[in-house]
Amino acid sequence: MGRLILSFVVAGCLAIGLFWLLTAPERSDAALLSGLEGDARRGEAVFWAGGCASCHAAHEATGDDRLVLSGGRAFASDFGTFIAPNISPHPEAGIGGWSALAFVDAMRNGVSPDGRHYYPAFPYTAYRLATVQDMLDLRAFIDTLPPSAQPSLPHDVGFPFSIRRLVGVWKRLHMPDGFAVSGPLDPAAERGRYLSEALAHCAECHTPRNRLGGLDRDLWMAGAPNPNGEGRIPGITPDRLSWSEADIAAYLRDGFTPDFDSAGGHMADVIRNLAMLEDADRAAIAAYLKALPLSE
């Protein structure tokens, strides 16, 4: 009987150890940053393409207030309500005290400076595909923005999702190792793929999810239920979006459809971000969307 109990204890310890090992946060090698320096001017374009203000500025902020990244916006989901944190350059309340490596770890691996998994409401599954240089440029731009002393609010997430270590299991199932759209693309569509998949994270809204909240990459950009429960976010593959490349690029600049309707809801905020990019970048996104595989 004693040996049986001992066997169970040993097996339990091994299982816990294996779980701990498999769910350990992935960390970036400092060598990735060797010889690289951030450029705030280039980082501004990364900031707008990445949509940072859409989540981390105050709700309905306008003008310069969109550059105050004090956090606080709530995002409801089936797993709880996630609250965007303060990512202003404030040294205590924000991320001003982070090292460059800690920032890259957060953006590309979803890991906090103290080694905790971030919830994937933070779209690091997309930013993971961004270049280290772009992440350093983004950090350099954020460092130029107004600091805010507003404390970050805790997420409202119940058991078992409140166990952060379980996010390590989720990551093993859902962290991408490459772009969703592969194969030969012309230079414009390739640039658009980078902007859409790595920075603007369009798929976070336009692609359906599985029961664990991971993106269904077999239905890339095919449309998905609206997270707020109101209606559906449209598919934007060529068989679902018949607009020309010029129509798409114009919409991404001013928010007006070819039928003179206008963008609303979260998409209006996306347009405000993408309108800050160069015309060539919006045209590149349009070229990428027209190169997507059909969803039917």
Side-chain angles (χ1 to χ4, degrees):
M1 186 67 175
R3 288 186 176 182
L4 182 61
I5 294 174
L6 179 60
S7 296
F8 278 123
V9 171
V10 171
C13 290
L14 289 174
I16 292 172
L18 181 62
F19 171 79
W20 203 251
L21 178 66
L22 291 176
T23 60
E26 178 184 352
R27 309 305 294 263
S28 297
D29 189 330
L32 283 175
L33 280 61
S34 179
L36 300 179
E37 292 186 7
D39 182 295
R41 180 185 59 80
R42 293 195 305 260
E44 182 175 6
V46 179
F47 176 85
W48 294 118
C52 307
S54 294
C55 290
H56 296 280
H59 183 52
E60 296 185 349
T62 59
D64 289 344
D65 287 344
R66 299 189 73 223
L67 299 177
V68 181
L69 307 179
S70 54
R73 293 186 65 173
F75 299 89
S77 77
D78 293 338
F79 308 98
T81 299
F82 299 96
I83 313 296
N86 182 333
I87 61 164
S88 79
H90 192 280
E92 289 87 30
I95 64 173
W98 290 15
S99 69
L101 184 60
F103 182 80
V104 170
D105 248 348
M107 295 295 293
R108 288 165 56 96
N109 298 321
V111 178
S112 72
D114 61 1
R116 292 177 301 123
H117 290 295
Y118 284 123
Y119 289 110
F122 170 24
Y124 49 77
T125 52
Y127 298 142
R128 178 180 186 80
L129 303 174
T131 65
V132 173
Q133 182 65 67
D134 271 355
M135 294 299 92
L136 294 178
D137 292 345
L138 173 62
R139 169 61 189 271
F141 177 70
I142 289 176
D143 282 345
T144 70
L145 301 182
S148 169
Q150 177 68 40
S152 295
L153 300 175
H155 302 305
D156 183 11
V157 182
F159 182 84
F161 307 115
S162 55
I163 302 174
R164 291 270 186 146
R165 198 77 183 193
L166 290 175
V167 177
V169 177
W170 187 94
K171 286 180 176 179
R172 286 193 168 270
L173 296 172
H174 299 108
M175 288 287 268
D177 56 6
F179 292 105
V181 177
S182 58
L185 296 172
D186 66 37
E190 187 172 354
R191 171 63 175 167
R193 178 179 65 181
Y194 180 76
L195 290 167
S196 301
E197 293 196 26
L199 297 182
H201 51 278
C202 308
E204 292 292 315
C205 288
H206 290 279
T207 298
R209 298 177 181 274
N210 60 29
R211 291 184 179 182
L212 294 178
L215 295 177
D216 184 346
R217 290 165 76 86
D218 291 332
L219 293 172
W220 194 253
M221 303 289 200
N226 194 325
N228 66 17
E230 298 177 3
R232 187 173 176 82
I233 295 171
I236 52 176
T237 54
D239 53 309
R240 296 173 182 267
L241 183 65
S242 61
W243 302 351
S244 69
E245 289 186 28
D247 288 338
I248 296 171
Y251 175 72
L252 297 178
R253 181 190 64 238
D254 55 35
F256 288 104
T257 73
D259 298 325
F260 301 102
D261 196 0
S262 60
H266 182 67
M267 193 62 201
D269 215 12
V270 173
I271 298 297
R272 280 192 286 271
N273 297 329
L274 298 182
M276 304 296 289
L277 302 182
E278 297 181 355
D279 288 343
D281 281 342
R282 288 187 293 272
I285 294 173
Y288 164 76
L289 294 181
K290 299 303 286 187
L292 287 174
L294 303 184
S295 60
E296 294 181 339

